[in-house]
Amino acid sequence: MDAAFFTAWLAECAAVVAAHRDRLTELDAAIGDADHGANLTRGFTAIQEAAVPARAPADDPTPTPAPTSGSPLPPGKVVSAAGSLLIRKVGGASGPLYGTALRSMGQALGDAPQVSPADLATALEAGVVAVERLGKAAVGDKTMIDALRPAAAALALAVQDGVKLEEALDRAAAAAEAGARATAPLRARKGRASYLGERSEGHEDPGAASAALLVRALHTVAARW
Ligand code: ADP
Ligand code: MG
């Protein structure tokens, strides 16, 4: 995977977050303040706007870069810069949390021009650990960690078993989706939803739902790479 892969991932994130904006907002309306869809759409749109000049000339109508159209930055820098933008542009808990995840992923990827599946697994693990540290949440607290932690574990295991990238990311995404669904019956112990106590039960966590979308976006890009 090169920088263009990660640029394509960020574009896919922007597309899926926008497509699922209303669902994320509804989930957040049930147990939060109904801004999660708007927060993430604003953040990932800002990343797209910042990335356009590096990716394609203004007169190029191609919505996503061709695999060969690489960015001048190494993958790690592309991902870190996106994380910094999320932190700057998104108010609410999810901006700093996802921003920190991307910055830590980028840091783990370093300056290498190419990323192996093992590098990606290591980077995802670093991103998830950073979210766990910042948010002090663990699996079962009904947060994005309920999707991210199983995704990182599934990717690491698949890569270790020599599973090819697309299948490995499919397993990671499936683990995230299962983790997100499993948040529904839980009582929130972190974030705004925790103020609701038992009234947070019975609704999927919006951040877990969005985390599953972002991991699935990685698989979507790998499938067409
Ligand atoms: P806010 O809660 O400030 O309105 P968002 O609505 O954008 O921010 O994001 C809410 C999501 O953030 C929650 O659904 C949850 O997944 C995640 N979240 C909140 N607090 C934490 C935390 N301490 N650790 C991990 N994730 C958290
Ligand atoms: Mg909210």
Side-chain angles (χ1 to χ4, degrees):
M1 287 158 274
D2 58 6
F5 177 95
F6 291 92
T7 303
W9 173 45
L10 294 166
E12 182 67 18
C13 289
V16 293
V17 159
H20 291 263
R21 179 190 170 127
D22 291 350
R23 183 170 76 94
L24 296 175
T25 293
E26 279 161 27
L27 292 175
D28 198 29
I31 61 169
D33 56 355
D35 63 356
H36 193 56
N39 282 345
L40 292 191
T41 303
R42 182 169 355 100
F44 282 97
T45 301
I47 293 169
Q48 287 314 103
E49 284 165 359
V52 164
R55 224 172 58 199
D59 59 351
D60 181 350
T62 319
T64 47
T68 50
S69 75
S71 151
L73 297 172
K77 291 279 188 297
V78 169
V79 175
S80 294
S84 299
L85 260 177
L86 280 188
I87 293 172
R88 282 221 310 276
K89 296 282 178 178
V90 182
S94 61
L97 290 165
Y98 279 135
T100 298
L102 291 180
R103 280 168 58 137
S104 298
M105 280 181 77
Q107 220 163 26
L109 294 174
D111 288 331
Q114 286 288 335
V115 172
S116 71
D119 297 336
L120 182 62
T122 302
L124 184 60
E125 174 64 27
V128 175
V129 166
V131 174
E132 288 167 339
R133 288 205 182 120
L134 180 62
K136 300 184 175 58
V139 168
D141 287 344
K142 196 181 181 100
T143 70
M144 59 176 70
I145 287 299
D146 285 20
L148 292 174
R149 173 43 62 206
L155 183 62
L157 195 66
V159 166
Q160 210 179 353
D161 286 349
V163 171
K164 76 175 172 60
L165 182 68
E166 184 197 335
E167 168 67 18
L169 287 171
D170 192 25
R171 291 186 194 179
E177 288 155 2
R181 282 194 300 273
T183 62
L186 300 177
R187 186 178 303 190
R189 286 195 290 250
K190 294 285 175 200
R192 201 178 284 280
S194 66
Y195 309 152
L196 292 180
E198 67 183 21
R199 282 184 294 134
S200 65
E201 293 171 14
H203 307 276
E204 188 173 331
D205 177 63
S210 62
L213 293 176
L214 303 184
V215 180
R216 177 57 69 188
L218 263 179
H219 166 252
T220 302
V221 173
R224 63 167 193 251
W225 214 246

